[in-house]
Amino acid sequence: MCRNQRVKLRKWLEGKENTDEVIGLFERNQGDNPACPYCRAINLYRWGKASELQRYRCRQCNRTFNALTGTPLARLRHKDKWFEYEQTKIEGLSIRKSADNCGIAKNTSFKWRHRFLQIPATRQPDKMNGIVEVDETYFLESIKGQRRLPRSARKRGGKAVKKGTSKEQVPVLVVRDPHGETANCILHGTSAQQIEPVLIPLLNKDVILCTDGLPTYKQIA
Ligand SMILES: [Zn+2]
């Protein structure tokens, strides 16, 4: 999800937009000539509509996609209920209560909570300047409110069962500049391939990167 989309989405999630509008925003964000999110080709067929979104089919790789493909909201159903659902999250309702309020299944509520959490909770800053500190940190994946736990419950803020990084731990990139701009982005891994697309758009050309010894940063720099 690019910064532009995030800003729009954040605005919507703050309650300033309704679902139709945000879908419209995503679609307009694609521009008049959307590119295939899988192979970047721009030769596309219009391929009908699904849940109010224009669907495209790529002439090069034959895959279909819409404006939400590649965002945390991709393939989530009941778009008409997202707005209401986000409100229950802001109000701090449990996963179960949110489900009851919105008339969705508890499993759906659980899934949505996680997808919505992937949307950065803080305003993402403009480009960073000066000496920019970058580091990865790990958060334990939240499974609070899930009735059948894939593992035994741990106390709040507890330790991961497995040492080091594991599937339980979600890597987050933290980027900060001397002017106090901070960005937090969930990573899918810590390889250059995964960090670079997140980090580069945050940086002005003349920044000095300050990192630990992770070879990935050297590669990106
Ligand atoms: Zn393609």
Side-chain angles (χ1 to χ4, degrees):
M1 178 176 277
C2 75
R3 180 195 307 273
N4 205 10
Q5 288 174 320
R6 263 202 313 261
V7 169
K8 283 165 180 167
L9 197 56
R10 173 52 39 194
K11 213 171 137 195
W12 168 59
L13 294 178
E14 281 168 359
K16 289 173 190 143
E17 312 274 357
N18 67 35
T19 312
D20 284 350
E21 278 176 61
V22 83
I23 288 172
L25 282 170
F26 271 105
E27 293 199 318
R28 282 198 295 283
N29 198 46
Q30 289 183 305
D32 294 332
N33 299 301
C36 169
Y38 302 106
C39 74
R40 310 310 303 167
I42 51 165
N43 290 326
L44 313 168
Y45 301 105
R46 281 178 176 265
W47 207 252
K49 278 197 167 191
S51 36
E52 298 155 68
L53 285 157
Q54 176 65 49
R55 190 162 48 181
Y56 297 91
R57 180 162 186 179
C58 175
R59 293 188 193 215
Q60 189 166 294
C61 71
N62 285 324
R63 300 178 79 168
T64 58
F65 63 91
N66 63 36
L68 295 179
T69 302
T71 76
L73 302 181
R75 287 191 300 277
L76 295 187
R77 297 170 65 201
H78 310 295
K79 292 182 176 51
D80 53 319
K81 291 185 175 159
W82 287 356
F83 180 76
E84 197 184 338
Y85 188 79
E86 178 60 14
Q87 295 304 312
T88 67
K89 193 189 111 201
I90 290 167
E91 286 163 25
L93 297 189
S94 69
I95 285 175
R96 198 167 289 112
K97 276 203 177 122
S98 295
D100 290 347
N101 275 23
C102 299
I104 57 173
K106 193 180 69 67
N107 284 345
T108 306
S109 178
F110 181 71
K111 186 164 132 190
W112 285 14
R113 185 63 53 99
H114 275 256
R115 293 288 187 85
F116 280 58
L117 281 173
Q118 287 173 31
I119 299 158
T122 52
R123 182 187 69 88
Q124 293 293 321
D126 294 331
K127 293 222 173 190
M128 308 262 180
N129 288 299
I131 298 171
V132 177
E133 290 178 85
V134 186
D135 202 3
E136 333 84 55
T137 183
Y138 292 86
F139 286 95
L140 292 170
E141 186 190 12
S142 163
I143 56 171
K144 192 180 168 202
Q146 197 176 359
R147 194 183 291 252
R148 251 173 278 131
L149 300 179
R151 54 168 169 73
S152 59
R154 62 172 174 250
K155 292 207 175 100
R156 178 189 289 260
K159 288 182 187 152
V161 176
K162 296 165 211 142
K163 271 197 170 166
T165 62
S166 69
K167 271 195 177 159
E168 277 185 61
Q169 300 208 298
V170 182
V172 174
L173 190 73
V174 182
V175 189
R176 170 171 279 193
D177 82 358
H179 313 286
E181 291 285 10
T182 307
N184 308 293
C185 310
I186 289 181
L187 297 169
H188 296 290
T190 54
S191 73
Q193 255 178 337
Q194 285 148 331
I195 291 182
E196 194 171 339
V198 176
L199 181 60
I200 296 299
L202 294 170
L203 305 176
N204 266 322
K205 259 189 182 170
D206 53 356
V207 298
I208 296 165
L209 278 186
C210 181
T211 70
D212 60 12
L214 189 75
T216 304
Y217 295 121
K218 220 173 182 180
Q219 221 177 317
I220 296 170

